[in-house]
Amino acid sequence: MNTPSNLKYTKSDEWFDPATGAAGITDYAQSQLSDIVFVELLVDEGEEIEVGKPIASVESVKASAEIYAPAAGKVSAVNKGLSDAPETLNSDPYGEAWMIKIEGGAAGEVMDAAEYEKYCEGRSH
Amino acid sequence: MTYIPISPTERDAMLKTVGVKSLDDLFDAVPKKRRFPKLDLPPALTEMEAAAHLAEMAASNEHVREDLISFLGAGAYNHYVPSVVDHMLRRGEFFTAYTPYQPEISQGTLQAIFEYQSLMTNLTGMEVSNASHYDGATAAAEAVNLAYAQFRGKRKKVVISPTVHPQYREVIRTYTQGMGVETAGDDATNFEVGPEALTSLIDESTMLVIVQYPDFFGRIYDYAKLIEDAHAKGSLVCVVANPTALLMLKTPGEMGADIVVGEAQPFGIPLWYGGPYLGFFTTKKSYVHKMAGRLVGETVDNRGQRAYVLTLTAREQHIKRERATSNICTNQGLLALASAVYMSTLGKTGLQEVANLCYQKAHYAANELSKIEGFGLCFPDPFFHEFVLCTPKPAGEVNQYLLDNGILGGCDLGRDYPSLANHLLVAVTEMNSREEIDALVEVLKEM
Amino acid sequence: MATIVEPTIFELSSPGRRGVTMPASDVPETALPPKPLLRSDLPLPELAEVDVVRHYTRLSKFNYSVDDGFYPLGSCTMKYNPKINEDTCRLPGFLFTHPLQPIETVQGNLALMFEMQEWLKEISGFAGVTLQPAAGAHGEFTGVLMMAAYHKSRGDSKRTKMLIPDAAHGTNPASVGMLGFTVVTSPSDSRGNVDLKALEAACDDTVVGMMLTNPNTLGMFDEHIEDVIKLVHGCGGLMYGDGANLNALLGIVRPGDLGFDVMHFNLHKTFSVPHGGGGPGSGPVGVGPVLADFLPAPLVGIIEEGDEDEMAPLYGFVTPKQSIGRMKAFHGHFGGGLVRAYTYIAMHGPDGLKDIAQYAVLNANYLQAKLRDTYKIPYDRICMHEFVAEGRFEGSDVRALDISKRLMDYGFHPPTNYFPLIVPEALMIEPTETENKDTLDAFADALVKIAEESKSQPELLHNAPITTRFGRMDEVKAARELVLCCWLPEGYDLNA
């Protein structure tokens, strides 16, 4: 499981980069969903969002999930190319498959990488 | 009689394995004072008795193959169904199977639905068809659900032409009553105008425009301009189409429609007093994730064989639950098969013959009827196999007179359009012979 | 390139081939509409009749059906579909009547519908029944619309929460979602009942009602059902019953007597309407007195009373006072649904219906008893018409899916997998009353054998099925490549 140390993580498996404001889903989340075939971003550029607001909807072959904002602030960018390449959520969740950037992002309740790894281990059934 | 294949001896052995004394003992969890009610139902019939009883009930109807000459359409049409269709439907392998959840042992149903989807996309000129809906009206309501989901609830207005089938409009109203949807155009007093009149109702809050093709009065309009105007405002457009008419007419796909739905009953499904029928639903590929209903896609199995599976199932209720576009979890599987067999057996040329016969006979009827004094065609627009006849008396009275003469007249438009009490919607199909049409004309002349 | 087992109807097409032909026109010719209104091409197949018959006959042989063998798909009630139903529903008087015919000409149809309403009311203990809904999910949506309309009619606008147990069918929350209500999940207790404490805490004046399947999807009859209903009614909510599992209750208990306010029937499960490869079903809805005025319009009623000697009553349509409206263009699934179910009920009578439930429950308990030592039964008590086992074994990577696929090699249709969600690796088994002891024994033997194979040759299970015409499918390819039709109109490119 890949959990870059510079990122912050939520209990609902989103990551947030305090340096750039970027957010997306974690490696753990993509592996649980497995083959992702559809993603729809639910927020637009310029929108003010609060922590916990649904920002994207993801569907895989066997499951679906809502993705929630890990931080509050103004949406400064959305990854427009993502909906045409949902498989990148599986191959590069922290890179190419970023979802949105949140300007002045005040993170909600987040964990650091070590805490998140421990949290994931505790859940594996 | 029952269909229980367990003998008393076997029953007792099974009860012993379970560890209870009697069948009644299996129901201890049921509140005692409510347990084993005495049902006031007629005593059981044997198969022989049931067959006779049902035959008697059926025989007390007057039907359109023997008792009545029919010119009634308005959403359900009397067409010829080739014998092959029912022979295929009666195969137990098709009709006693469940939804194809286990693709390894359901390829018959899956490939048949895949073929149905292909036939429907080609018929409508669209890119994607789902595996079908309950009927044309609910398919139209699902178009609203698609548009609502597509705009994520941010657009709330649906513009509905008043010449969409009145009962379809009723169903759309029922379906959307909890969604906070606003409708415009759905006004039964404003039907004389063509599609242009709808344009002024479309604005930036409009998610969907719904028109019918040919419209409820049988009129053929090219909706290309309306669709262009709707698209300019960002709205989607749904065309409710008659499949028999599509065999001859320009496809809604060519006009630019985003969604094409309709009632495929004319394609191999009996009138059956209104159901079950077959709602078809086709759209563009870009909306496939917001489309409700089952969808079959092509793939391969682990032996390298081409095969079919239910795909994009994560859109559906069993996974997406309250976030799904719709709660629908079935299609009209067996009837989708019926329409696929119907289209295949008649084939391209046979289907064109059906369409042409409908068109020719309807125009002959319209021409002859409009010669009768006091009667006339109400609209000058081109039509396919259904048209509005102006009558000198209320259409209800005309229909009663026809019925007394063994003829099922058209649909009395006064029922749904108060100002059209003297208007009869007449449908003619390949089933109506020239003699029947002439008989209708003669009876009306004498009225 | 993948091997083609059976070409599609388009691949079998050959230009110029003819199937069924139509008679020549017997009327003078009229010119076609102007060219811009006509389609340029009709890209549909061209085949001879024999080609069509052989194609669909071959396809039919790729299916497994109730007529082929045991089909213990939990919550689907895959019982035998009597052949007489196929004849009665095709009687010409039913086949060839138009839904808009004057009522005087269709008294047979209306009498059948009226009696069907009365029978379903009697069977379920409800005050009113609509026959309009086309399927179970459609009936559910109808029911939820009525619940919403009821609260609205009382000016009670703050109710937006629907209580739904964790074991519920996905259609329940989806129906609720269509009205914009929120779902509040209600947990089950260790015996598979609704957890009363948690329910009590959730019940307040914002509750629309509760949607409960009873017996639930674990096959358990709720041991405190009347307390559950009392709690929901106590906070002003209405009680919805999902009738998916009604087969266990015929002649045993009437949901209306227990206090349910509304329930849908699945005529394709309980009353032997064939499933048709995924429809058409038929989903009438019954309601208690509080919702009777909200039923969809129209219902069938008696317009003029008959007399005892000769005059039959005149049946016609009536509209409930506060009807939610129309759910479907015409009167419901009359021919394919109501006539078959009517035939079935008429042939069973009150005692036969009770037999159905008793033997359905006996068969399920018998199988449960035979499998208890081999498979873990997480909620192990007397079940109703179905039960849920865990499809996994200590120290093995064999899963419920593998067990299901292997069952195909033994000639059985698998049970429902991975449902309900509260049981890991669930195998949900519903044998129905139309299976004999030999079949149940053979099925139990196969499952015991598969449990042994999971230890001795797990790879065999991972690769199953091996004896069927088709093997496991690449579902990722299907979803990623999205080939959804086999012959596209000119000018379309799906990959563009």
Side-chain angles (χ1 to χ4, degrees):
Chain A
M1 193 174 80
N2 181 11
T3 43
S5 60
N6 59 320
L7 304 179
K8 299 290 180 197
Y9 300 89
T10 66
K11 279 193 168 169
S12 46
D13 303 303
E14 292 89 11
W15 58 265
F16 175 62
D17 185 343
T20 64
I25 63 166
T26 66
D27 188 41
Y28 177 85
Q30 72 76 18
S31 72
Q32 290 292 307
L33 285 162
S34 79
D35 307 282
I36 294 168
V37 295
F38 176 66
V39 56
E40 181 187 22
L41 294 176
L42 304 175
V43 292
D44 299 316
E45 239 172 74
E47 209 172 303
E48 289 286 342
I49 56 170
E50 285 167 20
V51 173
K53 181 188 165 70
I55 55 167
S57 173
V58 171
E59 291 170 19
S60 71
V61 169
K62 292 279 178 224
S64 83
E66 291 259 86
I67 313 303
Y68 304 102
K74 187 171 154 188
V75 178
S76 62
V78 298
N79 185 350
K80 293 206 176 72
L82 190 58
S83 59
D84 292 328
E87 64 280 359
T88 56
L89 283 161
N90 291 121
S91 58
D92 191 10
Y94 300 112
E96 216 180 315
W98 64 277
M99 288 177 163
I100 60 169
K101 285 185 180 156
I102 307 165
E103 199 175 81
E109 202 179 309
V110 287
M111 295 170 266
D112 64 23
E115 287 171 322
Y116 180 65
E117 269 179 37
K118 213 165 157 193
Y119 168 69
C120 290
E121 272 160 37
R123 284 187 297 169
S124 52
H125 40 266
Chain B
M1 68 172 274
T2 70
Y3 299 91
I4 296 163
I6 294 167
S7 72
T9 321
E10 288 168 326
R11 176 197 62 207
D12 293 342
M14 291 165 76
L15 285 169
K16 205 170 159 204
T17 305
V18 174
V20 295
K21 287 208 176 62
S22 72
L23 288 170
D24 284 357
D25 291 348
L26 294 166
F27 298 96
D28 286 354
V30 177
K32 197 156 185 195
K33 63 179 191 296
R34 307 289 182 197
R35 220 184 286 164
F36 310 134
K38 184 102 198 73
L39 299 181
D40 182 16
L41 294 172
L45 302 179
T46 61
E47 182 178 307
M48 196 168 102
E49 291 162 330
H53 176 59
L54 271 289
E56 195 183 324
M57 287 183 111
S60 68
N61 294 325
E62 294 174 55
H63 68 80
V64 304
R65 288 293 162 93
E66 282 169 16
D67 312 310
L68 297 166
I69 296 171
S70 174
F71 295 95
L72 185 55
Y77 299 90
N78 182 24
H79 286 287
Y80 183 73
V81 180
S83 174
V84 177
V85 175
D86 197 45
H87 280 278
M88 292 297 108
L89 295 197
R90 277 191 181 247
R91 291 194 67 91
E93 297 92 332
F94 281 129
F95 84 82
T96 74
Y98 194 67
T99 301
Y101 285 133
Q102 301 288 347
E104 297 87 348
I105 51 175
S106 309
Q107 284 299 305
T109 296
L110 285 162
Q111 184 167 335
I113 294 174
F114 184 79
E115 292 177 357
Y116 160 82
Q117 290 176 182
S118 306
L119 291 159
M120 282 301 164
T121 55
N122 284 6
L123 181 73
T124 55
M126 302 299 283
E127 294 170 320
V128 176
S129 163
N130 73 9
S132 71
H133 284 301
Y134 306 133
D135 68 358
T138 60
E142 292 288 2
V144 178
N145 282 335
L146 184 155
Y148 189 83
Q150 181 65 24
F151 293 108
R152 307 201 302 262
K154 287 177 183 166
R155 290 186 176 218
K156 302 238 181 204
K157 183 164 152 187
V158 181
V159 174
I160 308 180
S161 160
T163 62
V164 169
H165 195 299
Q167 287 167 212
Y168 287 32
R169 287 186 280 119
E170 277 182 59
V171 171
I172 292 168
R173 281 197 288 273
T174 309
Y175 263 60
T176 54
Q177 58 191 255
M179 289 162 65
V181 166
E182 171 204 347
T183 58
D186 182 7
D187 171 6
T189 61
N190 184 30
F191 45 78
E192 303 241 9
V193 286
E196 305 78 37
L198 293 176
T199 304
S200 62
L201 301 172
I202 305 168
D203 59 26
E204 311 288 334
S205 70
T206 306
M207 58 167 156
L208 187 68
V209 178
I210 309 177
V211 291
Q212 186 166 320
Y213 178 69
D215 76 359
F216 185 62
F217 300 153
R219 301 177 297 187
I220 303 168
Y221 292 118
D222 188 336
Y223 292 116
K225 176 73 172 64
L226 174 72
I227 292 171
E228 202 183 309
D229 294 342
H231 284 171
K233 303 276 186 193
S235 172
L236 306 185
V237 178
C238 170
V239 175
V240 179
N242 180 301
T244 312
L246 292 186
L247 296 167
M248 176 183 281
L249 302 179
K250 180 175 170 181
T251 66
E254 206 179 323
M255 296 175 193
D258 301 288
I259 304 167
V260 183
V261 301
E263 177 53 71
Q265 174 274 331
F267 278 15
I269 297 161
L271 284 169
W272 246 351
Y273 200 50
Y277 287 173
L278 175 66
F280 67 86
F281 192 108
T282 60
T283 185
K284 292 175 179 168
K285 203 190 173 200
S286 43
Y287 303 123
V288 69
H289 288 275
K290 297 295 174 194
M291 178 174 72
R294 291 266 137 92
L295 192 59
V296 174
E298 186 182 302
T299 190
V300 292
D301 73 357
N302 63 5
R303 303 165 200 172
Q305 303 178 118
R306 185 175 70 184
Y308 304 92
V309 291
L310 292 173
T311 193
L312 297 187
T313 57
R315 299 159 21 260
E316 295 182 62
Q317 48 75 31
H318 66 286
I319 293 176
K320 225 168 171 181
R321 299 174 83 89
E322 65 268 28
R323 293 186 294 114
T325 296
S326 164
N327 76 343
I328 193 162
C329 64
T330 49
N331 64 331
Q332 300 287 88
L334 197 67
L335 302 179
L337 173 70
S339 73
V341 178
Y342 175 85
M343 284 186 265
S344 306
T345 309
L346 282 162
K348 178 181 170 171
T349 314
L351 291 167
Q352 283 168 330
E353 288 170 356
V354 170
N356 192 52
L357 285 172
C358 289
Y359 180 87
Q360 295 298 343
K361 287 169 187 264
H363 284 74
Y364 173 73
N367 193 39
E368 295 300 310
L369 287 166
S370 57
K371 288 181 196 158
I372 309 171
E373 202 183 320
F375 289 82
L377 279 183
C378 304
F379 301 111
D381 313 83
F383 62 93
F384 176 64
H385 70 344
E386 210 162 10
F387 56 88
V388 179
L389 189 68
C390 297
T391 54
K393 290 181 184 173
E397 284 178 36
V398 176
N399 270 342
Q400 187 55 52
Y401 184 77
L402 288 171
L403 190 60
D404 294 341
N405 287 277
I407 296 174
L408 199 51
C411 174
D412 172 1
L413 290 177
R415 207 188 47 161
D416 293 298
Y417 300 87
S419 63
L420 295 184
N422 286 27
H423 293 65
L424 199 59
L425 180 65
V426 178
V428 188
T429 73
E430 80 281 5
M431 300 298 282
N432 295 112
S433 65
R434 182 175 181 160
E435 287 75 46
E436 289 181 0
I437 297 166
D438 291 343
L440 171 69
V441 173
E442 286 312 309
V443 171
L444 287 180
K445 270 187 193 158
E446 286 159 20
M447 188 175 82
Chain C
M1 276 297 281
T3 314
I4 293 173
V5 180
E6 173 65 21
T8 66
I9 199 81
F10 289 91
E11 290 162 342
L12 291 167
S13 169
S14 178
R17 258 186 220 161
R18 293 299 315 269
V20 170
T21 55
M22 283 283 129
S25 176
D26 56 359
V27 296
E29 190 165 343
T30 305
L32 293 183
K35 201 140 188 241
L37 290 176
L38 300 179
R39 67 184 297 155
S40 48
D41 184 25
L42 185 64
L44 294 176
E46 298 174 69
L47 300 100
E49 181 170 323
V50 63
D51 303 332
V52 176
V53 169
R54 288 189 180 151
H55 171 66
Y56 287 107
T57 301
R58 285 193 297 262
L59 284 185
S60 76
K61 291 177 181 174
F62 298 159
N63 269 5
Y64 186 96
S65 67
V66 172
D67 280 0
D68 284 294
F70 189 43
Y71 213 125
L73 203 55
S75 266
C76 300
T77 314
M78 298 299 289
K79 61 171 69 179
Y80 171 69
N81 306 124
K83 299 301 174 196
I84 181 67
N85 297 353
E86 298 311 301
D87 297 339
T88 53
C89 78
R90 287 171 173 88
L91 286 160
F94 298 139
L95 275 186
F96 304 123
T97 36
H98 188 288
L100 301 176
Q101 274 184 228
I103 57 169
E104 295 79 6
T105 64
V106 285
Q107 285 297 303
N109 292 344
L110 292 170
L112 186 146
M113 291 172 75
F114 183 80
E115 274 185 73
M116 194 68 184
Q117 289 173 185
E118 294 300 307
W119 291 359
L120 292 178
K121 278 153 67 174
E122 177 62 19
I123 288 167
S124 59
F126 283 120
V129 162
T130 169
L131 303 174
Q132 225 177 83
H138 203 216
E140 250 179 53
F141 183 41
T142 307
V144 177
L145 282 170
M146 284 190 275
M147 292 164 81
Y150 166 82
H151 291 306
K152 196 175 166 196
S153 76
R154 297 158 54 92
D156 193 350
S157 58
K158 62 185 175 303
R159 294 184 183 268
T160 54
K161 282 194 324 205
M162 188 72 86
L163 308 173
I164 298 182
D166 48 12
H169 296 115
T171 50
N172 294 170
S175 302
V176 170
M178 286 170 82
L179 273 135
F181 292 147
T182 48
V183 173
V184 176
T185 303
S186 135
S188 307
D189 70 13
S190 62
R191 285 181 63 79
N193 299 315
V194 171
D195 185 326
L196 284 175
K197 276 231 167 70
L199 178 64
E200 195 170 1
C203 280
D204 59 26
D205 62 0
T206 65
V207 166
V208 177
M210 181 176 202
M211 296 180 84
L212 183 71
T213 312
N214 186 44
N216 64 16
T217 58
L218 297 164
M220 300 286 128
F221 191 95
D222 197 296
E223 293 165 307
H224 318 294
I225 185 64
E226 289 181 306
D227 297 329
V228 169
I229 294 174
K230 217 177 275 167
L231 275 175
V232 173
H233 283 168
C235 71
L238 295 169
M239 197 68 195
Y240 186 94
D242 181 327
N245 296 342
L246 188 68
N247 208 43
L249 302 184
L250 298 174
I252 304 299
V253 64
R254 308 194 309 167
D257 294 346
L258 290 172
F260 282 94
D261 300 297
V262 47
M263 183 191 80
H264 73 264
F265 299 81
N266 296 92
L267 300 188
H268 47 288
K269 295 178 180 177
T270 315
F271 298 110
S272 84
V273 173
H275 285 74
S282 184
V285 173
V287 293
V290 294
L291 291 179
D293 281 346
F294 297 91
L295 283 165
L299 305 173
V300 178
I302 291 177
I303 306 284
E304 282 170 33
E305 292 291 342
D307 60 45
E308 281 181 16
D309 309 318
E310 287 151 48
M311 270 289 283
L314 179 70
Y315 298 101
F317 294 108
V318 293
T319 299
K321 271 187 256 155
Q322 293 172 279
S323 174
I324 55 163
R326 188 180 276 281
M327 289 304 296
K328 180 171 186 303
F330 301 114
H331 322 300
H333 282 177
F334 175 80
L338 306 182
V339 179
R340 284 171 168 131
Y342 180 97
T343 308
Y344 185 76
I345 296 172
M347 286 179 62
H348 278 80
D351 299 335
L353 291 178
K354 187 180 172 193
D355 285 342
I356 290 171
Q358 289 191 316
Y359 281 87
V361 172
L362 173 66
N363 279 359
N365 278 284
Y366 180 70
L367 262 186
Q368 182 175 244
K370 300 236 351 170
L371 292 170
R372 185 174 283 129
D373 294 338
T374 318
Y375 289 83
K376 184 178 172 195
I377 313 283
Y379 298 88
D380 193 0
R381 57 179 167 97
I382 293 282
C383 66
M384 294 286 111
H385 64 303
E386 68 190 358
F387 65 99
V388 179
E390 288 186 15
R392 59 176 182 174
F393 308 102
E394 197 71 26
S396 163
D397 63 351
V398 164
R399 306 179 64 214
L401 185 77
D402 303 316
I403 296 168
S404 292
K405 300 298 184 195
R406 183 64 178 150
L407 273 169
M408 297 175 190
D409 286 330
Y410 286 96
F412 298 109
H413 194 283
T416 297
N417 299 162
Y418 301 103
F419 190 82
L421 306 172
I422 58 171
V423 175
E425 299 296 322
L427 291 171
M428 185 193 209
I429 302 171
E430 180 182 9
T432 85
E433 74 283 2
T434 61
E435 299 300 331
N436 66 33
K437 183 169 172 294
D438 300 338
T439 302
L440 301 178
D441 287 339
F443 180 73
D445 289 348
L447 273 174
V448 170
K449 188 111 188 289
I450 290 170
E452 285 162 17
E453 289 171 348
S454 75
K455 295 188 192 81
S456 58
Q457 355 173 30
E459 274 319 294
L460 183 65
L461 271 62
H462 292 318
N463 294 327
I466 49 174
T467 62
T468 51
R469 187 70 191 75
F470 291 84
R472 286 201 200 185
M473 302 292 161
D474 186 344
E475 300 198 13
V476 176
K477 178 185 163 78
R480 288 248 158 99
E481 295 179 9
L482 276 192
V483 178
L484 303 173
C485 64
C486 49
W487 191 18
L488 289 165
E490 252 343 89
Y492 280 102
D493 179 3
L494 269 184
N495 298 314

